[in-house]
Amino acid sequence: MTDKTVLVLGGTGKTGRRLVDQLQERGANVRAASRSGRTRFDWDDRNTWEPALQGVDAAYLVDMQDKPGTWDAEKHIRELAALAVESKVRRLVLLQARVTEPVGGKSLIAGEQAVKDSGAEWTVLRPNWFNQNFDEGVLLDGVKDGELRLPAGDGREPFVDAADVAAVAAVALLEDGHAGETYELSGPRALTLDEAAGEITAAIGRDVRYVSVPHGEYVEELVQYEVPADYALFVADLVAQIRDNKNAVPTDTVRRVLGREPRDFSDFVADAAARGAWNL
Ligand SMILES: NC(=O)c1ccc[n+]([C@@H]2O[C@H](COP(=O)([O-])OP(=O)(O)OC[C@H]3O[C@@H](n4cnc5c(N)ncnc54)[C@H](OP(=O)(O)O)[C@@H]3O)[C@@H](O)[C@H]2O)c1
């Protein structure tokens, strides 16, 4: 048990929501923060930053790298981290991504130097694609439509469970020994999109096909659905990281930090199917 007060940005999101639950189970006083969260925090409204940080011991930072339009992650995180240190927040855990090359002209690790320079104790998390993209994120509609059209070729991705990312974040926020670490977080095995679709098909008894589409065609399709062009390119570039096997090798970080295996994609699929996540 702990008497720490922890601010969780993205507190309604995939990792944040799970982190809030895990921190509460460990007795922490938790502030779940976002635009619609119990604690109001809006990256676009500076007036919300200071109140959210007051009296906080440690903070989990989630930025908005996938926002269409201009978003200067480095600048925003630098400013927030400085305010956090001024507000006597001692520890910062930053969620970034296991994507080191720019995608759609954006860097998904742009905030890292800012927390390193802040003067707070810092830990950086770089996860692979989350399992939860299939049941609560960008891939949900495709699964329900029975066709996942993506420019991922036959590339492999060791999808990681958002609950495992949250569990590592909880440890880094509450326990000593993780300051100065950059944790690359993956699931236990790398799957192709075809294999992932096959596992979901078997679990729900309805056909979900993976169709590999060329990068340019995918961008055009998204734009036809009125997705902003810059966001379409961002997503296509991100998926192309899978196609090119950029981050396909599983890491042992979840096991090293938590002392247990990361959750397997099959367990995630079985649970999501049992919950009716893909019911029509
Ligand atoms: N999805 C993945 O597979 C994956 C993998 C690796 C890394 N990441 C990184 O994880 C981060 C979160 O991505 P996600 O897809 O998992 O999203 P998410 O956390 O499920 O959802 C985004 C969260 O941010 C909050 N938010 C949105 N706009 C905001 C704003 N203007 N001010 C404050 N909070 C705001 C949302 O709550 P409200 O709507 O209530 O504000 C929500 O809690 C991103 O930085 C992404 O790069 C994601």
Side-chain angles (χ1 to χ4, degrees):
M1 298 297 271
T2 176
D3 57 359
K4 285 202 175 109
T5 296
V6 184
L7 174 69
V8 177
L9 299 191
T12 55
K14 295 182 201 69
T15 60
R17 205 171 70 240
R18 291 170 171 85
L19 176 59
V20 167
D21 290 346
Q22 293 185 25
L23 291 170
Q24 278 170 344
E25 277 164 25
R26 297 173 67 144
N29 174 21
V30 188
R31 285 190 202 157
S34 75
R35 293 167 307 177
S36 65
R38 298 240 324 257
T39 296
R40 210 176 104 68
F41 177 89
D42 187 344
W43 280 106
D44 294 321
D45 179 1
R46 297 292 161 107
N47 296 326
T48 64
W49 294 16
E50 204 176 334
L53 288 164
Q54 283 307 318
V56 164
D57 298 296
Y60 178 65
L61 307 186
V62 176
D63 70 31
M64 304 193 306
Q65 292 148 315
D66 62 351
K67 184 181 170 184
T70 316
W71 162 254
D72 188 340
E74 207 277 340
K75 175 173 174 284
H76 281 80
I77 292 173
R78 192 170 290 281
E79 288 173 6
L80 183 75
L83 190 61
V85 170
E86 225 178 279
S87 308
K88 311 236 173 326
V89 179
R90 283 181 294 109
R91 190 173 283 183
L92 300 175
V93 175
L94 175 68
L95 179 68
Q96 297 283 270
R98 194 178 172 206
V99 175
T100 52
E101 294 178 6
V103 284
K106 298 183 189 186
S107 164
L108 297 195
I109 54 169
E112 295 187 4
Q113 197 55 45
V115 295
K116 291 177 186 173
D117 294 343
S118 68
E121 287 180 14
W122 59 266
T123 307
V124 168
L125 309 184
R126 287 183 182 173
N128 278 90
W129 279 62
F130 301 154
N131 291 337
Q132 281 71 16
N133 290 311
F134 289 90
D135 71 332
E136 54 183 275
V138 69
L139 306 178
L140 174 61
D141 287 346
V143 174
K144 284 190 163 178
D145 290 348
E147 190 167 279
L148 279 169
R149 294 177 64 78
L150 292 165
D154 296 325
R156 291 185 172 274
E157 179 73 9
F159 297 100
V160 64
D161 203 273
D164 285 339
V165 178
V168 170
V171 164
L173 286 159
L174 297 182
E175 297 176 16
D176 291 335
H178 304 281
E181 299 284 355
T182 298
Y183 288 142
E184 300 210 322
L185 304 171
S186 81
R189 62 192 170 105
L191 289 89
T192 63
L193 266 295
D194 198 47
E195 290 167 350
E199 294 212 15
I200 297 173
T201 296
I204 64 177
R206 207 173 63 234
D207 211 24
V208 180
R209 274 186 344 126
Y210 164 61
V211 180
S212 176
V213 291
H215 183 280
E217 195 178 311
Y218 181 70
V219 172
E220 277 171 28
E221 277 181 23
L222 291 187
V223 169
Q224 270 166 21
Y225 283 106
E226 295 184 6
V227 172
D230 67 332
Y231 186 66
L233 183 64
F234 171 82
V235 178
D237 282 4
L238 200 52
V239 178
Q241 296 274 305
I242 299 180
R243 179 197 64 202
D244 298 341
N245 287 306
K246 290 289 184 187
N247 307 291
V249 179
T251 68
D252 66 353
T253 319
V254 170
R255 179 158 29 88
R256 273 196 295 121
V257 176
L258 301 179
R260 63 161 173 81
E261 293 304 317
R263 191 181 193 201
D264 192 80
F265 188 74
S266 302
D267 294 340
F268 155 74
V269 169
D271 273 8
R275 239 188 310 114
W278 295 304
N279 288 355
L280 297 179

